[in-house]
Amino acid sequence: MLKQAQYQASRKSCTTVLVGKAVTADGSTMIARNEDGGETPLPQRFVWIEANQPNTYQSELTDFAMTLPEKSFSYTSTPDAITGSGIWAAGGINSQNVAMTASETITTNEQVLAFDPLNDAGIGEADFTTLVLPYIDSARAGVERLGALLEAYGTYESNGIAFADREEIWYLETIGGHSWVAVKIPDNAAVLASNRFNIDVVNLNGPDVLYADAVKSFIEQQSQTDVIDYEHINLRHYFGSYLDKDKVYNNPRVWLGHKLMGLDVSNVDPTEQDLPFLVYPDQKLGVHDVESILSAYYADTDFDVYHNETETGTPVYRPIGMNRNEESHILQLRADVPDSVAGIHWLGFGPNVFNAFVPYFANVNDTPAVIRDTPGQADVQYPYWLMRNIAMIADADFDFYQPMVQSFQERMQHAGDLFLAENQLAISVAELTTQNQQMADKYLQAANALLNELLNKGTGRMHLRFPMAD
């Protein structure tokens, strides 16, 4: 059975961004997500898992156990630093240049859950990446493997999971305990997924949609007509929630993401319950555009978290970049480069408004110790905790500190772009591992310089002060 105390302590709520290869500036595919935690920090690590791991798996949150395939691929991931409540590997890229991010916590509805109840003895977000990513060689294979596991063992929660290879992106949502549906994202489309059921109109009979057999059974049970148009069916209407909470917690994030993708949302209500799942931006989106979306706090809108709060001090709508961002990743699979340098795991620790995303090659044999060995308690020698400290200082006097933070972010964006531009050719695993170490060193040095600047310039603004006049 599910160990409720451990589960609630680690449960995440996130924001997912998907960008098809015809929309990206360089033809890459990108899947990205903020991994959000609770009101207290939940430190994260960045690790590389070698191939051919032990073939037994035991969940730490339930009694679930299974035998895994003998052969597995190596992969990157970002598990929790504090152990004992599940792995929560979150997302990464394997040696076959297949990426996975898991999961976007979502909601369904009571009718679905009565038809297909959740299974407290099943698998969930804490398990998904570990059970799937090491064993797949394409995005579609990820959907097929996870779908088979869900049907065989069930899940205790509703989630959205994304997969990508260099050609395709697939997005899967669990519906009930054993049912699921997945769609291939069109190359010219993008997605902003929040914490509710996201998939809407699909062709359920088409080649770009996969699903459990129970999906059609439920639709037929709930349908008000004998003739069901499966080629234009809105799955959100059947499986989704339409809660008042969605109007302030979920829908505005989708609206904000669409705005930052260059769509005209001037006449769109941010609380609209049926904002589209797929959008088709006219502008090309780069990694730093996705970074901006994952960091967004409604700047330059009437809902700016730092300048348009309600009388209670609470933001009008839930932002994307916020205090509960634990780690964020943009999993980029580059086109027109050798396989060895195609997979880039962009990583940001802590609240995105104040951090910087750093590119790391996925085809390595280790990760830098300062991001691999994050301790469970505060220690600013490690980037996770360093960025947490920077965020606490900068958040308290946003307008004063933000220019310094932005300067740091711009320097790191330039450093990251240069890092990748200089490594476009085939290169060995050992050399890529060394390059990652150099990137981590540069990041740590720049972040420490930022902390030093914040302290030097901010000390004179403390309330507990008295000018020297003797």
Side-chain angles (χ1 to χ4, degrees):
M1 298 298 289
L2 181 64
K3 301 172 184 177
Q4 288 288 348
Q6 291 170 283
Y7 171 62
Q8 291 299 332
S10 298
R11 194 166 185 265
K12 318 288 176 71
S13 64
C14 313
T15 306
T16 297
V17 180
L18 315 175
V19 187
K21 65 181 182 180
V23 184
T24 58
D26 61 356
S28 62
T29 57
M30 289 190 287
I31 61 175
R33 186 168 61 90
N34 285 348
E35 184 180 6
D36 300 337
E39 294 300 330
T40 56
L42 187 62
Q44 303 293 304
R45 306 166 58 218
F46 179 52
V47 303
W48 174 81
I49 305 297
E50 64 181 328
N52 301 320
Q53 290 286 302
N55 67 333
T56 57
Y57 181 82
Q58 171 64 62
S59 171
E60 293 182 326
L61 289 180
T62 72
D63 295 330
F64 171 81
M66 71 174 294
T67 300
L68 297 168
E70 291 285 345
K71 180 182 178 181
S72 67
F73 303 119
S74 62
Y75 63 103
T76 60
S77 66
T78 50
D80 289 356
I82 299 173
T83 59
S85 296
I87 298 174
W88 302 89
I93 303 173
N94 72 18
S95 60
Q96 305 302 295
N97 283 324
V98 180
M100 175 183 181
T101 183
S103 305
E104 182 73 29
T105 304
I106 63 170
T107 55
T108 51
N109 60 56
E110 293 304 318
Q111 290 77 21
V112 170
L113 297 180
F115 175 81
D116 181 16
L118 297 174
N119 177 20
D120 276 357
I123 58 177
E125 179 178 350
D127 315 297
F128 287 154
T129 302
T130 305
L131 295 178
V132 177
L133 184 58
Y135 308 101
I136 57 177
D137 58 8
S138 71
R140 184 184 178 110
V143 169
E144 292 170 342
R145 177 168 175 79
L146 179 56
L149 291 173
L150 290 167
E151 291 182 64
Y153 302 109
T155 183
Y156 47 80
E157 59 187 356
S158 298
N159 282 302
I161 301 97
F163 301 90
D165 53 40
R166 296 171 82 175
E167 297 298 326
E168 297 182 348
I169 296 173
W170 284 80
Y171 179 73
L172 179 153
E173 290 190 312
T174 65
I175 296 171
H178 298 80
S179 51
W180 58 274
V181 63
V183 298
K184 178 185 171 185
I185 306 304
D187 292 344
N188 63 338
V191 169
L192 191 296
S194 62
N195 302 125
R196 59 177 297 202
F197 194 88
N198 293 280
I199 299 171
D200 53 15
V201 179
V202 300
N203 177 2
L204 210 57
N205 293 331
D208 294 339
V209 181
L210 300 173
Y211 53 90
D213 291 340
V215 169
K216 278 193 173 180
S217 298
F218 177 77
I219 291 172
E220 290 164 4
Q221 181 192 83
Q222 295 294 311
S223 180
Q224 303 296 313
T225 176
D226 294 333
V227 180
I228 301 172
D229 183 5
Y230 281 117
E231 295 185 2
H232 304 88
I233 191 163
N234 192 324
L235 298 184
R236 193 186 298 165
H237 289 174
Y238 281 94
F239 305 131
S241 66
Y242 287 81
L243 306 174
D244 287 341
K245 178 182 177 180
D246 293 328
K247 293 181 177 181
V248 297
Y249 195 84
N250 292 316
N251 306 338
R253 274 183 284 160
V254 178
W255 174 89
L256 179 57
H258 291 175
K259 174 181 171 62
L260 294 174
M261 291 174 186
L263 303 174
D264 183 2
V265 297
S266 56
N267 294 316
V268 179
D269 186 340
T271 68
E272 167 60 45
Q273 293 277 33
D274 273 316
L275 294 170
F277 172 59
L278 297 173
V279 294
Y280 301 87
D282 291 329
Q283 68 183 41
K284 298 289 187 179
L285 301 174
V287 168
H288 301 313
D289 296 309
V290 177
E291 181 180 348
S292 294
I293 294 169
L294 294 176
S295 308
Y297 58 92
Y298 300 100
D300 302 319
T301 76
D302 292 338
F303 320 113
D304 184 324
V305 168
Y306 285 101
H307 303 106
N308 292 291
E309 291 182 338
T310 62
E311 291 182 0
T312 63
T314 303
V316 177
Y317 300 135
R318 194 266 209 206
I320 299 173
M322 64 185 309
N323 65 321
R324 293 192 287 107
N325 301 148
E326 297 294 351
E327 66 84 18
S328 302
H329 49 263
I330 303 170
L331 307 177
Q332 180 186 22
L333 298 165
R334 298 194 293 174
D336 302 324
V337 296
D339 290 348
S340 64
V341 294
I344 308 298
H345 191 135
W346 293 80
L347 178 64
F349 279 137
N352 285 343
V353 178
F354 307 105
N355 69 12
F357 283 67
V358 183
Y360 296 106
F361 291 106
N363 183 33
V364 293
N365 58 23
D366 201 357
T367 53
V370 292
I371 48 181
R372 182 194 64 207
D373 300 334
T374 306
Q377 293 185 328
D379 185 338
V380 294
Q381 296 180 84
Y382 296 86
Y384 173 87
W385 289 111
L386 177 57
M387 296 315 301
R388 277 280 174 198
N389 275 264
I390 287 170
M392 284 282 290
I393 295 169
D395 177 77
D397 195 344
F398 182 81
D399 288 336
F400 178 73
Y401 291 116
Q402 192 59 9
M404 306 173 215
V405 172
Q406 287 180 336
S407 179
F408 157 74
Q409 291 169 334
E410 290 167 1
R411 290 195 302 274
M412 289 310 305
Q413 286 180 351
H414 176 73
D417 292 343
L418 184 62
F419 173 73
L420 296 181
E422 292 175 342
N423 292 285
Q424 295 277 1
L425 304 178
I427 188 171
S428 72
V429 167
E431 290 173 308
L432 289 172
T433 303
T434 298
Q435 294 283 24
N436 279 0
Q437 181 64 60
Q438 292 173 358
M439 192 70 234
D441 292 342
K442 186 172 296 185
Y443 173 53
L444 190 60
Q445 181 181 17
N448 269 299
L450 173 61
L451 178 61
N452 185 66
E453 184 179 16
L454 299 183
L455 291 172
N456 283 338
K457 294 184 177 179
T459 299
R461 297 172 65 85
M462 291 177 64
H463 181 74
L464 187 67
R465 66 185 189 276
F466 198 88
M468 292 180 63
D470 51 358

